Amino acid sequence: MTAEGWRSALASGLVIPACPLMLDQDGRWSEAHQRAVVRYYVEAGAGGLAVGVHSTQFAIRDPRHGLFEPLLRFVAGVIDEASGGRDSDFARIAGVCGETRQAMDEAVLAKSLGYHAGLLSLTAMKNADERGLLEHCRRVAERIPVIGFYLQPAVGGRVLSDRFWRSFADIEGVVAIKIAPFHRYRTLDVVRAVADSGRDEIALYTGNDDNIVVDLLTAFPFGDPPRRIVGGLLGQWGVWTRAAVEMFDAIRELRGQASIPAEWLKRAAALTDANAAVFDAANGFAGCIPGIMEVLRRQGLAPSARCLDPNEVLSPGQAEEIDRVTSAYPELVDDRFVRENLSRWMT
C-alpha cells in the first residue's frame, strides 16, 4: 500500500468514530480503558478515528490537565498496534483548534505523531470575518491536510456562507469536510459549493447526527455525477460502532440502485431517536459527552461517565431515555460484540 492509501480510503467513504476520553470516577485518565476503546473501534470495522475532537473534550488542552499530547501519542500507538502500523490505510484524524498559532502548533504535533489530517475547529475564531477564517485555514493546511468542520451553533459553531465554503474548497490542503450544522439548508450549501469547485477529491462526511442515514443515502443534485456524502465522522459512531459499520455497509450496497426500500426511512428515524437520547437533544445537547460515556460505561468500555468538568453530567431523565432507545432499537446496539471481546481488549 502507498503512503497515501489513507486518502483513497477517506475518499471512498469510512466510518470514523470520534474518540472519547476515558476517565475513572475520580477524574484520572485510564490508559487501560483508552486502549480498550481504540481496539474496539478498530475491530468493530471503523475505517478511521478522530482524536482530540469535541467528544474527546477540548479541555484536554488545558494546562491543568495536560492531556492533549499524551493522549494523541498514546492513541496513535494503540492504532498502530491494532491496525497493523502507520502504513495501514486506517485514517488517523487529529482535532486541531485554537487561534492560528495554536492551531498551527497542534497541526505540526499531530503530523509528527503520525496523524494524517486535522479536523479544523473554528470555534476559537468567533470574532474573525470569513476572509480571516479562510486565511487561518490556509495557514493550517500548510502544516497538515485539513478536514473542514461546519459545526452547529448550539455547541459553539457559527453560520458560514456558501461563499465561504466555495472559497474553502479552493484551499489546496483541504481533503474533506465534516458537515455538521444540523440544518438542511446549510448542509446543501456545503455540498453545492464543493460540487461547484470541481474538486472531486474533496470527500464529504456527515456530522449531522440528527440525519445520518438520509445524508448517506442521498445523491445530491449538484455535479455530474451527483455529489454524495461518502461517510461519517460522528460522535454517535463512538458508541455501538459495530452496528454502525454494519448499517454503513448496507447503505453502500444500496447506492446506485434505482430505488431505496422504504424501510430505510424507518431506520433513519430510529437512529435519530437514539441519537436524541445519547446526545441529550431535549436539553440543548448539554449531556452529549456524558451520554456517550454512559453508553460506554454500561458496556464496560469506560470506567465511568465522568468528564473533565465534574459539573458536566447526564441531564435529568437522560439515563431513562438511553434505557428506552436501547430497548426499542436492538439493531442499533452491539452489546454482545463488546461482551465477547472486552476482556481481551482490556489486557
Side-chain angles (χ1 to χ4, degrees), residues 23-37:
L23 299 175
D24 67 20
Q25 193 55 54
D26 294 323
R28 294 184 296 259
W29 179 33
S30 172
E31 292 187 6
H33 288 87
Q34 198 73 56
R35 181 182 298 108
V37 81

Side-chain angles (χ1 to χ4, degrees), residues 253-326:
E253 289 294 321
L254 289 171
R255 290 177 181 169
Q257 295 187 13
S259 62
I260 296 170
E263 173 68 17
W264 280 96
L265 296 177
K266 181 179 177 182
R267 296 181 71 174
L271 184 54
T272 299
D273 189 27
N275 175 262
V278 175
F279 272 46
D280 194 28
N283 296 288
F285 307 98
C288 63
I289 295 177
I292 292 168
M293 300 310 304
E294 175 64 11
V295 172
L296 296 173
R297 183 197 66 79
R298 294 181 184 193
Q299 293 181 308
L301 283 161
S304 76
R306 173 72 184 259
C307 295
L308 288 171
D309 179 352
N311 296 313
E312 194 170 355
V313 296
L314 292 173
S315 294
Q318 189 179 359
E320 290 77 11
E321 276 294 284
I322 293 173
D323 290 339
R324 178 184 66 80
V325 298
T326 301

